[in-house]
Amino acid sequence: MSTPTGEIYRIDWLPGTDLLHGTCHCGAEHSAQDPVEMWEWMLGHPEGHRPQGASR
């Protein structure tokens, strides 16, 4: 999905599993079985995830 700001969110289904794998426009990744959980994680940016390489 591309947004009006040009940010790209990607969700892939992992064949042979019930898992969805999401990649945020910032490069953060997350896996979940529930599509609602996946979209909440994606759209809650940046709450709940950090860009790859970000320190905690």
Side-chain angles (χ1 to χ4, degrees):
M1 174 179 100
S2 181
T3 65
T5 61
E7 297 168 339
I8 297 174
Y9 299 85
R10 180 181 183 104
I11 297 178
D12 296 307
W13 166 63
L14 300 176
T17 71
D18 291 335
L19 287 176
L20 299 170
H21 181 79
T23 306
C24 181
H25 63 87
C26 71
E29 297 180 340
H30 179 73
S31 294
Q33 289 184 346
D34 182 9
V36 173
E37 176 188 338
M38 179 62 70
W39 279 110
E40 286 175 348
W41 176 82
M42 287 259 180
L43 298 175
H45 181 78
E47 250 180 69
H49 66 280
R50 298 174 183 264
Q52 290 176 339
S55 61
R56 293 191 153 219

